[in-house]
Amino acid sequence: MDTRKEKFPYGIPGHNLGEIEREIPMEEPPVWPVNDELKVIGKRVKRIDALEKVTGKAIYTSDIKLPGMLYAKMLRSNVPHATISSIDVSKASSLPGVHAIHLIENAPKEGGDGGTNTYPMVKYVGQPLGGVAAESLEIAKEAVSLIKVNYEKKPFVIDMESAMEINAPIVFDAPITQQQDGGDVGETHDGSKGEGNVRGPSTSSFFGGPRGNLEEGFNEADVIVERTYRTQVHTHMPLETHGVVVDWGADVMTVYASTQNTAAVRNEMASVFNLPKSKVRVICEFMGGGFGAKHSAGSFGPMAANLAKKTGRPVWLMLDRKEEHLAEGNRPNSIQYLKIGAKKDGTLTGIQQRSHGTAGVGLGAGVGRIAQILYPCPNFATEQYDVLTNAGPGAAWRAPGNVQGAFGLEQAIDEMAEKLDLDPLRYRDRIDTSEVRKVERQRGAELFGWSRRQPPGSSTGVVKKGLGVGQSTWPRFVTLDSSVEIKIHKGGGVEIRSSVQDIGTGTKTIIAQVVAEELGLQVKDIKVNIGDTFFPVGPGSGGSVVTGSITPPTRNAAFEAKMALLKLVAKKWETDSSELYVEDGQVGHKANADLKMSFKEATKLMRTSQISKIASRSDDYGGFQQPWGLAYGDLGSVQFAEVSVNTETGFVKVDRIVAAHSCGRPLNIGQLESQINGGVIQGVSYALYENRVMDNGTGHMMNANIDQYKVPFSMEIPEIETIIVEEYSGRSSTDAYGIGEPANIATAAAIANAVYNAIGVRLYEIPITPSSILKALRNVS
Amino acid sequence: MNKFSWYEAKSVEDALQQVNSTLSDELYEATDEAAVFKSGGIDVFDWVKQGILKPQKIVNIRNIPGLDKISYDRKEGLRMGSNVTLAEIASHPEIKTRYLALHLAVNHAATPQLRNMSTLGGNIAQRNRCWYFRSADHDCFRKGGDRCFARHSKTGENENHAILDNGSCVSVHASSIATALMAFNASVVIVNAEGQQKTVQMDDFFVSAGEDIAMENILKPKEIITEIILPTPSKNTKSAYIKQVARESYDWSLADVAVVMEVSGNTCKSANIVLGAAAPVPYRSLEAQQAMENKTITGENAKAAAEAAMAKARPLSKNDYKVPLFVSTIKQTIMEIS
Ligand SMILES: Cc1cc2nc3c(=O)[nH]c(=O)nc-3n(C[C@H](O)[C@H](O)[C@H](O)COP(=O)(O)OP(=O)(O)OC[C@H]3O[C@@H](n4cnc5c(N)ncnc54)[C@H](O)[C@@H]3O)c2cc1C
């Protein structure tokens, strides 16, 4: 392979910016300088679809209406554990307006266990059993209510600690090989080992397994912190629920899906219905949120397709809020035991972690890699167990596992700092080797006013103020199977095509920015057509991979197309294309200022109607830490929280968060701030409000709505200030990474540390509520 | 949601001819041909959408002429028609100056959108928010079932539930406005199908769960609330109201307190102290009222009154935090008067 050497900006401007030489493939575009020297990149560019969104013109999946379309509703179990002896659909099928009923069979393809029963075993309240397609949603709902399911009920277990007991009812009496639900990219949880409802442990991640010798580590320690932390189950609650509209035409099955992974949904539907991938088209133009729970076609996707097949008509199937809470994902809970040891000077000598979590009938309820990698420590071991319970399956949730893990570790580190008589921030300066977090701590502390922090519990009065900090790390992942097509149309017009979807983060806009920067055009000149699997396959919106995966091939494709265009201009001007440049919508000659032509004029030189180039994500310059796409370095963050705690009523208010983050080369400051705001708000919500309430006696979720399942509204949202630290590492043609998950990891820990600082009593469990505060203060027993 | 017919009532008499049941009667034991009132419709349709209430007919009383007036005069006091919306109460200047606790209670109820829709009659007649009571999958005592799920000492999810008078049902009344209405000694005007009219004290309008597990108020089928009347406060009357919620933006009360006090200087001559979200119906704390009588309004006396109010509290497995929360809230509300 032909290569060349180039010097890339390397480091953090204002701190340690330098250069690094990289050997890169010949066809890669030339290096971009730091953002200050670019026109469109790193600026506050307005979302290209902002107007459509705020005027309600944007068409979401639930808005799709097709001629002859039927409405579908799922039938779901209302008992937590049972075998189904029979299902009587006679009343439902004779209801006027009902067109088809489809019952889920006990076949592996339909999500069953393939046993001898006609219908799958019921393992949680809300499990899908079937669906009805009718002329209206009202009729479909009524029909579902007329279906009689006869259950043979079995003992069940909801509460995780009860499920861990020897005599607990068994949720699965066989090893489970199903794919994990709650976990993270590249992490596996083994459902085949373990006893009773407890599976695992998982002891390693892609950063390796146990290190050193824990016993020796703790022997060397002068100070030990040993605690158990608890986090709750948190359901996703995207504004737009899960769902699809399936239009199964004569030639192609078109699936309009609210999904964060169009390509995965296509592959799933093709596989379930035995169709070539070319005959399934998944479209997601606008997306009303997913947070990790919308990577698959679920059971509703195949259900809608089965109903479409039975009726020969398009079928609309969107879930309602209750179904969403019960069956479409949650962040698993955790009970984490953590022991850390340090020498007098603070050096960590040992970290031991043991966690249990339940993703209901799913797997993947770990606590991530935070304890393993945030701070160097020679001796480390983790055991992460999955506990099966009769509740809806977990799903990946914005930094799966790691948010739970950070809540534990970052409180333990705070406690260690106190035992060592060190300021929590200074202590982190001492043990944290990350350059980026060092800068974040400095800049964050200054903006936040960390120096105002008083000793824990010293705030006077009924309402006590407290300040706290929490840190996090997130790996730089990329999806190598990420491709983009660019078309430059003859006579003007630039179009981008990829299956990558915009989950709401602004992917469309950054794609347009990258192309505009490369072609010397404006963002409005670029038409971004994404979220359609008839276009080259892009990444799923998970693992915060999208920006790092899709922007380099976008730039590369634009660069290749530009070079092809410049060749035509060079031929006309009888010069070499390397002498030409594009800028402000013009093609010019570096040495001859008289030679100028508009971009539009240049496109008229094309022989065919378009220049079309497809590029795919190339390997990182300098290679990967893991060949599947784990890049070197981390996405570090430091968040500061300021809280008020009313010691009489127990109410906690988060007054302010300062969030310092890095994501390589920032592409769009406004969108980054939005992402960070969103992550922080969800973190506040996790710390204080959201909590799935299950009745252990009946197996039902009691707050499966949007009223009693408490998400924060405007008054609960603190003042949020963001600091974005530019950091260059010269690893791709854009050197940019995502921020979605990092933004959510440290918040709850920072709040818990601030609450401790306010009242001088530590809370080891979230959500922190008036009840838990008053208990901690011993106002109640 | 089942299919039902819709009847647009033209007058109180007309409405009373059409109706044959109440939401409460239907929830306890459903009948086949139920016709129930709908005013703002917020609560009624919540139950219908859950498939728990299956009326055959909805009698819309929202547009009956004459039920949407607010008037105040010194002799008659404050008269509010049952169809007055919460938004109208919230923006009424006379209510703000003379009935501050009511003004505050209404302003802290629900959300602006809901206040535009909610009517006063519907608000005091709405059913409680116990999530077991509201669940189609849990047949509790109040729905003719055989148990109270919330009370269960191991599995009951009762963090939002009652700490006082919770022997029969542990729910708390949903109306936080009634807390203030009761503190102003409001009365309710009820008309029946025979055209008879009665006026009952708000204290007597609500029915304790021990008296009748099916009901939260005295309304029978073929009875309609037409008006709520508040006597004129003396010029030495002061009032205050505080509502504690998990979320400030909007939320159901965890503890709310209304205090209406007759004062002389900084001394309390007599007090009306009512607690919301403490018991299955709004709870007048005679203990706190007595404790304040002829006492100066000091932090110490307020605290003693608050503690007296909580003397009979019997928290459940998950709501003992409500006791200190009420102590603090009662104390604060009394202190607002000083
Ligand atoms: C999310 C949410 C939050 C809320 N928060 C609060 C809060 O904080 N505080 C608070 O006080 N309320 C709150 N509410 C209640 C709300 O404000 C309404 O008052 C209530 O839901 C019912 O009012 P409505 O007019 O819609 O009554 P409807 O639903 O029409 O009627 C309710 C009941 O009253 C009966 N009824 C109505 N009018 C009459 C009449 N004139 N005579 C006899 N019977 C009658 C109906 O038959 C029905 O049984 C909240 C509601 C929601 C949905």
Side-chain angles (χ1 to χ4, degrees):
Chain A
M1 187 168 59
D2 275 352
T3 60
R4 66 176 198 274
K5 287 186 175 155
E6 278 219 47
K7 286 207 166 63
F8 285 76
Y10 191 81
I12 302 166
H15 175 64
N16 64 358
L17 184 66
E19 277 188 336
I20 190 164
E21 192 174 75
R22 298 273 189 216
E23 188 169 344
I24 63 171
M26 214 49 152
E27 66 274 11
E28 290 281 324
V31 58
W32 265 347
V34 295
N35 278 353
D36 268 357
E37 293 165 47
L38 295 176
K39 296 211 149 142
V40 196
I41 292 295
K43 308 295 174 281
R44 249 174 224 285
V45 173
K46 199 163 74 187
R47 279 172 197 258
I48 57 178
D49 47 11
L51 209 62
E52 276 170 286
K53 285 191 171 182
V54 299
T55 55
K57 292 212 173 85
I59 299 292
Y60 291 81
T61 305
S62 57
D63 299 323
I64 303 273
K65 292 219 162 45
L66 301 171
M69 186 175 87
L70 298 173
Y71 292 83
K73 184 79 190 162
M74 304 273 288
L75 167 72
R76 291 178 186 273
S77 67
N78 66 353
V79 298
H81 200 181
T83 48
I84 295 174
S85 46
S86 64
I87 301 182
D88 179 1
V89 298
S90 54
K91 273 192 185 158
S93 52
S94 58
L95 188 73
V98 170
H99 282 247
I101 299 177
H102 180 80
L103 296 178
I104 294 176
E105 283 168 20
N106 193 12
K109 254 197 172 169
E110 295 243 36
D113 63 8
T116 50
N117 290 333
T118 315
Y119 304 109
M121 177 93 83
V122 169
K123 296 213 185 277
Y124 64 95
V125 171
Q127 182 176 318
L129 303 178
V132 176
E135 260 150 46
S136 72
L137 188 54
E138 288 68 34
I139 297 172
K141 279 186 189 167
E142 195 178 343
V144 165
S145 75
L146 294 174
I147 298 178
K148 177 97 185 73
V149 182
N150 292 308
Y151 300 103
E152 281 165 28
K153 291 184 192 169
K154 302 173 75 168
F156 59 89
V157 62
I158 305 294
D159 164 62
M160 181 170 84
E161 285 173 283
S162 308
M164 288 159 64
E165 284 166 14
I166 304 283
N167 296 323
I170 294 298
V171 180
F172 286 89
D173 48 17
I176 30 179
T177 48
Q178 87 199 68
Q179 73 183 70
Q180 48 145 18
D181 295 296
D184 197 5
V185 196
E187 304 272 16
T188 46
H189 282 245
D190 192 345
S192 61
K193 308 187 281 195
E195 271 176 47
N197 293 317
V198 181
R199 303 294 157 102
S202 153
T203 56
S204 64
S205 75
F206 40 72
F207 291 112
R211 301 187 293 261
N213 179 324
L214 268 182
E215 209 182 311
E216 279 172 23
F218 290 131
N219 282 341
E220 272 176 56
D222 298 309
V223 186
I224 299 272
V225 171
E226 192 176 3
R227 294 289 178 200
T228 299
Y229 303 90
R230 288 161 190 264
T231 63
Q232 78 277 36
V233 176
H234 188 187
T235 72
H236 289 66
M237 281 270 296
L239 259 193
E240 184 186 34
T241 59
H242 286 68
V244 292
V245 178
V246 174
D247 183 10
W248 200 334
D251 190 33
V252 169
M253 179 202 280
T254 304
V255 182
Y256 301 89
S258 175
T259 180
Q260 51 195 100
N261 199 334
T262 55
V265 172
R266 177 197 64 177
N267 296 350
E268 245 179 281
M269 296 296 268
S271 145
V272 170
F273 295 98
N274 216 355
L275 294 167
K277 287 178 188 172
S278 55
K279 299 234 170 195
V280 179
R281 180 181 193 185
V282 176
I283 298 174
C284 177
E285 213 192 334
F286 286 95
M287 176 54 178
F291 315 130
K294 287 187 182 166
H295 280 285
S296 88
S299 53
F300 50 85
M303 178 59 65
N306 275 312
L307 291 168
K309 191 174 174 181
K310 284 190 171 166
T311 59
R313 290 165 65 163
V315 170
W316 179 102
L317 204 183
M318 298 299 292
L319 305 190
D320 65 24
R321 187 56 61 190
K322 184 172 179 187
E323 296 178 283
E324 198 71 12
H325 279 297
L326 298 184
E328 292 305 332
N330 55 69
R331 171 185 280 161
N333 70 341
S334 71
I335 298 180
Q336 318 164 34
Y337 163 84
L338 199 60
K339 179 175 177 183
I340 65 175
K343 291 190 187 154
K344 277 201 191 77
D345 68 356
T347 315
L348 292 169
T349 60
I351 300 179
Q352 184 186 3
Q353 185 182 49
R354 189 173 56 242
S355 73
H356 289 87
T358 182
V361 297
L363 293 173
V367 293
R369 308 163 293 264
I370 292 282
Q372 184 183 17
I373 57 170
L374 189 58
Y375 303 107
C377 177
N379 308 302
F380 167 81
T382 187
E383 287 171 38
Q384 307 189 5
Y385 294 90
D386 279 280
V387 183
L388 297 160
T389 53
N390 292 109
W397 213 115
R398 217 166 178 170
N402 293 279
V403 181
Q404 295 94 304
F407 175 74
L409 183 77
E410 281 298 275
Q411 283 210 77
I413 292 292
D414 239 50
E415 210 169 330
M416 179 62 83
E418 189 172 8
K419 286 196 170 181
L420 294 165
D421 208 14
L422 286 169
D423 173 271
L425 208 55
R426 293 290 82 73
Y427 182 46
R428 287 172 172 89
D429 279 338
R430 198 175 283 187
I431 58 172
D432 187 0
T433 52
S434 154
E435 270 312 297
V436 78
R437 275 193 301 272
K438 183 170 157 188
V439 174
E440 287 165 353
R441 279 192 301 275
Q442 279 165 6
R443 295 182 189 171
E446 192 171 324
L447 179 65
F448 183 68
W450 179 258
S451 55
R452 293 173 299 145
R453 185 177 182 274
Q454 299 296 318
S458 61
S459 172
T460 53
V462 170
V463 178
K464 298 193 187 297
K465 290 263 180 190
L467 309 184
V469 67
Q471 299 204 134
S472 72
T473 175
W474 186 252
R476 300 185 188 204
F477 297 118
V478 295
T479 299
L480 294 173
D481 183 11
S482 298
S483 304
V484 176
E485 178 183 11
I486 185 168
K487 285 183 172 184
I488 299 179
H489 291 274
K490 187 170 189 169
V494 178
E495 184 189 348
I496 289 289
R497 302 175 144 203
S498 170
S499 84
V500 68
Q501 55 294 313
D502 187 339
I503 187 177
T505 52
T507 302
K508 283 180 192 167
T509 307
I510 55 169
I511 287 175
Q513 284 178 266
V514 167
V515 176
E517 185 78 47
E518 188 59 37
L519 299 184
L521 297 173
Q522 292 181 34
V523 167
K524 68 171 173 51
D525 301 326
I526 317 300
K527 177 74 182 83
V528 182
N529 293 320
I530 60 172
D532 184 340
T533 59
F534 270 10
F535 301 147
V537 165
S541 303
S544 302
V545 303
V546 173
T547 300
S549 304
I550 205 70
T551 61
T554 299
R555 184 178 173 213
N556 294 11
F559 173 71
E560 277 181 53
K562 176 177 83 175
M563 294 320 287
L565 182 68
L566 291 186
K567 225 179 224 165
L568 302 176
V569 180
K571 194 167 161 204
K572 182 177 166 81
W573 286 345
E574 295 175 354
T575 176
D576 192 87
S577 56
S578 63
E579 291 299 305
L580 306 185
Y581 67 88
V582 289
E583 198 177 270
D584 297 334
Q586 303 277 327
V587 182
H589 192 283
K590 289 175 193 164
N592 183 349
D594 291 341
L595 286 178
K596 270 220 153 142
M597 179 190 292
S598 75
F599 188 89
K600 196 171 169 178
E601 280 306 305
T603 63
K604 290 184 182 158
L605 302 172
M606 285 156 44
R607 187 178 64 81
T608 51
S609 289
Q610 70 282 308
I611 292 173
S612 165
K613 299 284 175 193
I614 294 181
S616 303
R617 178 63 158 92
S618 35
D619 284 354
D620 263 18
Y621 308 154
F624 289 114
Q625 196 174 344
Q626 292 279 359
W628 48 263
L630 177 64
Y632 284 98
D634 72 340
L635 301 170
S637 93
V638 182
Q639 293 191 358
F640 298 83
E642 183 168 348
V643 303
S644 305
V645 183
N646 186 315
T647 52
E648 277 189 2
T649 60
F651 286 102
V652 176
K653 178 97 177 63
V654 181
D655 299 315
R656 185 167 168 241
I657 299 276
V658 168
H661 285 267
S662 82
C663 53
R665 178 196 297 274
L667 297 182
N668 185 328
I669 302 302
Q671 292 189 167
L672 277 171
E673 286 173 354
S674 287
Q675 279 300 294
I676 296 169
N677 287 342
V680 166
I681 292 165
Q682 286 185 327
V684 169
S685 190
Y686 186 51
L688 301 183
Y689 303 109
E690 288 178 65
N691 189 9
R692 185 185 72 178
V693 178
M694 296 293 288
D695 179 67
N696 292 330
T698 58
H700 286 269
M701 177 176 173
M702 300 319 299
N703 57 345
N705 52 45
I706 211 166
D707 176 38
Q708 301 287 345
Y709 185 83
K710 300 201 186 298
V711 292
F713 298 131
S714 52
M715 312 258 287
E716 285 67 55
I717 294 169
E719 186 185 340
I720 303 168
E721 289 159 273
T722 56
I723 294 171
I724 295 163
V725 175
E726 254 173 83
E727 188 216 5
Y728 298 92
S729 59
R731 295 202 176 267
S732 75
S733 61
T734 61
D735 212 9
Y737 294 92
I739 195 80
E741 283 160 301
N744 186 229
I745 305 174
T747 319
I751 291 169
N753 285 335
V755 167
Y756 170 69
N757 182 240
I759 62 175
V761 186
R762 200 169 270 287
L763 282 110
Y764 300 99
E765 181 169 0
I766 45 174
I768 297 170
T769 62
S771 176
S772 65
I773 291 283
L774 294 176
K775 278 211 171 70
L777 293 170
R778 302 198 178 284
N779 285 4
V780 289
S781 55
Chain B
M1 186 158 77
N2 65 308
K3 284 206 185 87
F4 50 79
S5 66
W6 180 277
Y7 186 83
E8 196 62 36
K10 288 164 243 12
S11 67
V12 167
E13 300 75 50
D14 186 25
L16 287 166
Q17 286 308 312
Q18 292 296 325
V19 76
N20 64 18
S21 190
T22 69
L23 190 144
S24 301
D25 287 294
E26 288 305 308
L27 293 180
Y28 191 74
E29 198 177 350
T31 59
D32 284 345
E33 300 283 324
V36 296
F37 287 144
K38 170 256 152 198
S39 178
I42 293 164
D43 200 30
V44 170
F45 289 128
D46 250 8
W47 292 100
V48 177
K49 282 187 275 185
Q50 300 286 322
I52 305 176
L53 176 70
K54 292 181 176 148
Q56 289 308 300
K57 191 187 330 182
I58 290 286
V59 180
N60 184 24
I61 58 173
R62 183 70 185 85
N63 300 318
I64 294 179
L67 294 183
D68 57 354
K69 302 269 183 310
I70 302 181
S71 68
Y72 172 79
D73 83 58
R74 215 174 288 168
K75 268 224 318 279
E76 301 262 309
L78 177 67
R79 304 183 78 111
M80 297 179 287
S82 60
N83 272 339
V84 163
T85 66
L86 302 192
E88 284 159 357
I89 301 174
S91 62
H92 198 279
E94 208 91 51
I95 294 175
K96 187 172 178 186
T97 49
R98 293 177 198 272
Y99 302 91
L100 180 63
L102 176 61
H103 171 81
L104 293 172
V106 172
N107 263 298
H108 286 92
T111 67
Q113 292 97 321
L114 283 162
R115 292 199 289 271
N116 287 336
M117 296 291 291
S118 307
T119 65
L120 184 56
N123 183 275
I124 62 167
Q126 66 177 310
R127 298 303 311 270
N128 74 72
R129 306 300 294 194
C130 169
W131 40 35
Y132 294 99
F133 179 49
R134 297 245 161 196
S135 155
D137 300 300
H138 296 85
D139 264 337
C140 75
F141 287 132
R142 286 233 196 248
K143 286 184 293 187
D146 64 355
R147 73 190 82 173
C148 173
F149 297 87
R151 180 190 300 287
H152 196 286
S153 62
K154 287 215 178 69
T155 60
E157 292 297 336
N158 50 38
E159 42 275 61
N160 303 325
H161 290 69
I163 53 170
L164 285 163
D165 273 0
N166 55 8
S168 305
C169 169
V170 301
S171 69
V172 294
H173 202 272
S175 173
S176 54
I177 290 157
T179 313
L181 291 171
M182 206 149 120
F184 281 109
N185 294 327
S187 52
V188 183
V189 180
I190 298 170
V191 175
N192 70 13
E194 284 77 51
Q196 293 158 328
Q197 176 173 321
K198 61 179 171 184
T199 303
V200 293
Q201 278 293 304
M202 190 133 244
D203 293 71
D204 301 326
F205 173 75
F206 293 113
V207 173
S208 81
E211 270 173 83
D212 186 346
I213 194 71
M215 298 292 156
E216 286 171 69
N217 57 57
I218 58 168
L219 288 173
K220 295 203 174 58
K222 293 192 177 289
E223 285 188 341
I224 188 169
I225 305 167
T226 54
E227 246 185 330
I228 309 261
I229 305 172
L230 273 63
T232 308
S234 79
K235 67 176 192 302
N236 296 324
T237 301
K238 286 186 170 179
S239 72
Y241 174 85
I242 295 177
K243 178 183 173 193
Q244 304 286 6
V245 285
R247 282 178 308 203
E248 274 180 75
S249 302
Y250 106 78
D251 219 334
W252 298 94
S253 171
L254 293 175
D256 61 303
V257 177
V259 175
V260 179
M261 210 183 261
E262 197 80 18
V263 295
S264 157
N266 197 35
T267 301
C268 164
K269 300 315 289 173
S270 68
N272 288 290
I273 300 178
V274 181
L275 318 182
V281 296
Y283 184 92
R284 180 183 292 276
S285 176
L286 298 173
E287 293 84 355
Q289 293 185 174
Q290 247 155 32
M292 281 313 291
E293 221 170 276
N294 295 318
K295 297 271 165 58
T296 47
I297 307 168
T298 61
E300 218 168 288
N301 287 338
K303 187 162 184 241
E307 281 166 356
M310 286 296 111
K312 287 192 194 141
R314 296 286 174 274
L316 307 164
S317 56
K318 294 188 170 170
N319 69 357
D320 49 1
Y321 75 96
K322 275 196 166 190
V323 175
L325 180 58
F326 266 109
V327 169
S328 169
T329 311
I330 296 167
K331 187 187 74 180
Q332 273 183 63
T333 316
I334 293 172
M335 292 311 290
E336 296 268 303
I337 305 273
S338 69

